[in-house]
Amino acid sequence: MSFDWTEFDVSDQLPEGWQRDVMAVAAAADFQGFPRTPVLSREAQEVQRIPRGRVHADQLRQSLLWIYRSYREYFLNLASSISAGPVVLASDERYGVVLNIQRGTGMRFECHIDSNPLTGLLFLTHHAQGTGGELVFAYDEDADSVAAVDRDCAVIRPRAGVLIFFDGRRHPHYARPLRSESEVRAVAVMNFYTGAYPESTRPPQLNRHLYGDE
Ligand SMILES: [Fe+2]
């Protein structure tokens, strides 16, 4: 089985000093053990919480406005350029674009599948070969744990300023822990939708889980 993604190096489009600004925002992220996500989690049964940091959408808009703006225009245009039909932004800004942060060796991103048909990830930090932080996608659509994903997977090493697009609805994926206590991993995660798979398909349990929606 295969898994495909598309990469763009957008580093020459990012504002002066962007990495320094990202680090300041990452340090102020909401760090906690996030409970496993309903419907979409592909963690092993015994895993109840996955520690990481999150920079919420409103905080991101205030502190890194260029990411918010790029999501709505430049990155949207890139997403459209690789898609057969029209691509649209999430109208609910809470999950349009956010940052995920890992700090030290005890954090990773939950093993899961996506609910949206097109995801953009802008890597904001660079991780050399062998230093952890890889994004991995299972070839096996039935993989139901980190160990199962690791058995046979595509491995993407984060390079700062590289934007990738993929459809993560079928292949379980997660971000590996870092190997050094002093390292930080930051990535901007962007949700896009299509005419065939609009935002209305998003499971309502997700917003109840994440934001306490009724
Ligand atoms: Fe995902």
Side-chain angles (χ1 to χ4, degrees):
M1 274 190 268
S2 69
F3 177 77
D4 292 320
W5 67 93
T6 306
E7 294 189 3
F8 295 93
D9 185 339
V10 299
S11 49
D12 64 353
Q13 302 290 321
L14 307 183
E16 177 99 28
W18 66 273
Q19 284 177 292
R20 182 196 57 225
D21 296 343
V22 164
M23 280 302 121
V25 174
D30 173 15
F31 289 100
Q32 54 168 298
F34 285 88
R36 58 187 293 144
T37 308
V39 189
L40 305 177
S41 187
R42 293 295 181 270
E43 288 285 339
Q45 253 348 294
E46 65 270 21
V47 178
Q48 291 306 315
R49 289 182 176 268
I50 305 94
R52 64 171 169 106
R54 186 175 176 93
V55 176
H56 298 275
D58 50 348
Q59 194 184 347
L60 178 69
R61 188 177 176 175
Q62 278 169 25
S63 51
L64 294 170
L65 185 62
W66 60 270
I67 293 184
Y68 174 85
R69 285 189 173 146
S70 300
Y71 167 61
R72 308 184 76 77
E73 193 173 335
Y74 177 45
F75 299 156
L76 172 65
N77 290 339
L78 290 178
S80 300
S81 75
I82 58 160
S83 300
V87 174
V88 294
L89 303 170
S91 63
D92 188 329
E93 293 202 350
R94 293 175 301 183
Y95 52 78
V97 52
V98 298
L99 298 193
N100 290 329
I101 311 295
Q102 291 167 231
R103 194 171 58 184
T105 58
M107 300 184 183
R108 61 181 177 82
F109 195 84
E110 182 177 9
C111 189
H112 70 285
I113 54 168
D114 293 348
S115 64
N116 52 300
L118 183 63
T119 297
L121 282 191
L122 174 61
F123 294 116
L124 299 168
T125 48
H126 201 85
H127 301 279
Q129 186 103 36
T131 62
E134 302 93 340
L135 174 64
V136 292
F137 286 87
Y139 291 124
D140 178 2
E141 298 181 8
D142 296 324
D144 57 359
S145 67
V146 163
V149 172
D150 279 340
R151 273 198 285 277
D152 191 21
C153 55
V155 177
I156 304 175
R157 189 168 57 78
R159 284 155 293 152
V162 169
L163 171 64
I164 64 168
F165 291 107
F166 56 85
D167 176 353
R169 287 177 294 172
R170 286 181 300 278
H171 292 268
H173 50 284
Y174 81 102
R176 286 177 175 159
L178 298 164
R179 302 253 180 97
S180 156
E181 283 304 335
S182 60
E183 264 201 79
V184 173
R185 180 189 192 272
V187 61
V189 184
M190 294 166 268
N191 274 1
F192 297 96
Y193 292 91
T194 58
Y197 213 88
E199 191 171 359
S200 57
T201 60
R202 183 175 163 93
Q205 302 95 304
L206 286 188
N207 292 343
R208 281 200 292 274
H209 170 79
L210 289 167
Y211 314 116
D213 283 9
E214 291 302 320

